[in-house]
Amino acid sequence: MDSGGGESRDSEGTPLQLPGDWESLPPQLEAKCCLRTSSSSVSSFNCSSAESEDEVFSDGAPSSRNRRQLLRKMKSWKAFFTMVHWTCRRSNSWIQLAGHEGNFRLSEAGFILKKFSVNESQCLQKLMGDVLKPYVPAYYGVVEKDSERFIQMEDLLTGLHSPCIMDCKMGIRTYLEEEMVRDLQRCSYRKDLYQKMNKVDPEAPTEQEHRQAGVTKVRYMQWREMISSTATLGFRIEGITMDNGVVLKDFKQTRTKEQIIATLIRFTDGCPLILKAYENRLNAIKEALLQSPFFRCHEFIGSSLLFIHEKGRVNVWMIDFGKTTTLPEGHTLQHNRPWAEGNREDGYLLGLDNLLGIFSATLAQQENAAEPSGEVSERPPVHR
């Protein structure tokens, strides 16, 4: 087994004292922030079947032979392709792998095994020596199981029973420039992606795409970016799971600030303390990013922020580094400039700033809504 740079963490989920660890709310306020979710509270969300991002990222369309088996696996949103959702039975915890089973394997308590990727393994190893270390899963090297190689990393849900989880994909584009060039050279038209596009918006495909009943992968991904908040705000919500297990995943056309504010209120139950704790954590991540040598010399594509809270404990983690690419020697990125072909800018900081602004606006809205009693106290006294 390759040695990793991770340190052991409390498997019982006790808040740690390192920078960027769990934000804990005052015990007397935890009860006020416990989510009151129920099946009726989320009934307005359209939980249609989710698509697999692995399916989109693959170069070829799924064969008819494997399509039925593939569809059985694709019952959860993309965030569950990159993490595990676990629950507890009495004192013995167990890990429930959801979504794309092939990416994860069971491991010891406190760890997960993720299918090996050279890019992700190298990134996590470098991050263990960077200022971003407190904000990414701890890396414990590469292990082999059943003749397959896996990355062993920290299970970010250790110690939690029924957390609320949200996955936000960061950046203004979700494909590498190399993918765009390769896509243009191959001119491979995929029927499965055309069908997905046509299902959401029959007017989105061009006349030629309708005739050939196919679109290229990059064309599909660019369309996804345009109909969501990726192109305009530099991030998009991929999916949410509530503390009662209800999964919300129909965010393909969530693109306005007002829509995102409404989603954050649903996700946090409008609790100002949770919103403030998330805002603090995002500010800490931004400060670390601005100081990070790793961030300056890497292109962040397809990376996500994972938001987790449960009973007053709040955290945000940087995850998914499979498409994070090292820049040529001597090159750096600003991460806050628009993308133009050749500049490799990913817009990560643009997205983070917009996300911070929306969290702040949501917090202000909820704090204002909670102040009706103040108006009563300002009424003039009644003279008798």
Side-chain angles (χ1 to χ4, degrees), residues 54-63 186 188 190 192 217:
D54 285 353
E55 182 186 2
V56 175
F57 285 157
S58 64
D59 288 326
S63 66
R186 292 180 178 177
S188 176
R190 291 179 53 174
D192 60 318
K217 180 177 70 172

Side-chain angles (χ1 to χ4, degrees), residues 216-236:
T216 66
K217 180 177 70 172
V218 170
R219 159 80 168 112
Y220 175 82
M221 296 173 78
Q222 288 173 335
W223 169 76
R224 280 289 313 274
E225 292 164 5
M226 292 303 298
I227 67 170
S228 69
S229 56
T230 292
T232 54
L233 297 176
F235 74 92
R236 73 175 182 234

Side-chain angles (χ1 to χ4, degrees), residues 45-57 75-83 165-175 220-221 223-231 234-241 246-255 260 263-264 267 301-307 319-320 323 355:
F45 283 82
N46 178 14
C47 295
S48 59
S49 60
E51 73 179 275
S52 164
E53 190 131 327
D54 285 353
E55 182 186 2
V56 175
F57 285 157
K75 296 181 180 178
S76 192
W77 42 273
K78 179 259 171 188
F80 284 96
F81 302 157
T82 58
M83 60 170 226
I165 307 166
M166 178 174 70
D167 181 292
C168 287
K169 184 183 289 295
M170 303 300 295
I172 53 178
R173 59 188 168 92
T174 55
Y175 55 89
Y220 175 82
M221 296 173 78
W223 169 76
R224 280 289 313 274
E225 292 164 5
M226 292 303 298
I227 67 170
S228 69
S229 56
T230 292
F235 74 92
R236 73 175 182 234
I237 297 174
E238 288 288 288
I240 291 173
T241 183
V246 172
V247 177
L248 314 176
K249 53 204 172 187
D250 190 18
F251 298 105
K252 289 186 181 68
Q253 299 184 75
T254 299
R255 57 177 301 175
I260 296 170
T263 302
L264 293 183
F267 174 58
I301 300 296
S303 183
S304 291
L305 289 177
L306 192 68
F307 294 76
I319 62 169
D320 292 349
K323 297 177 73 173
L355 190 56

Side-chain angles (χ1 to χ4, degrees), residues 119 122-123 126 173 176-178 292-301 323-335 337 339 342-346:
N119 244 28
Q122 291 177 347
C123 286
K126 292 176 183 177
R173 59 188 168 92
L176 295 165
E177 291 190 0
E178 292 83 351
S292 167
F294 180 91
F295 188 59
R296 284 194 295 271
C297 64
H298 283 78
E299 178 184 7
F300 277 65
I301 300 296
K323 297 177 73 173
T324 297
T325 308
T326 306
L327 298 174
E329 188 173 354
H331 289 245
T332 59
L333 293 181
Q334 299 298 314
H335 299 284
R337 294 168 50 199
W339 173 70
N343 72 3
R344 300 186 69 163
E345 288 289 346
D346 52 37

Side-chain angles (χ1 to χ4, degrees), residues 8-10 13-22 24 154 313 317:
S8 61
R9 309 222 184 183
D10 189 343
T14 303
L16 306 179
Q17 302 302 315
L18 294 173
D21 281 304
W22 289 90
S24 294
E154 176 184 11
R313 301 179 66 209
W317 300 94

Side-chain angles (χ1 to χ4, degrees), residues 195-218:
Q195 291 171 342
K196 292 177 183 295
M197 180 187 290
N198 192 56
K199 182 178 180 180
V200 175
D201 182 4
E203 297 183 2
T206 64
E207 290 184 9
Q208 180 182 350
E209 290 167 342
H210 275 305
R211 285 195 301 270
Q212 62 200 14
V215 297
T216 66
K217 180 177 70 172
V218 170

Side-chain angles (χ1 to χ4, degrees), residues 357-376:
I358 292 175
F359 263 97
S360 297
T362 308
L363 175 62
Q365 178 176 313
Q366 293 306 107
E367 287 178 334
N368 291 336
E371 294 179 350
S373 58
E375 299 176 1
V376 176

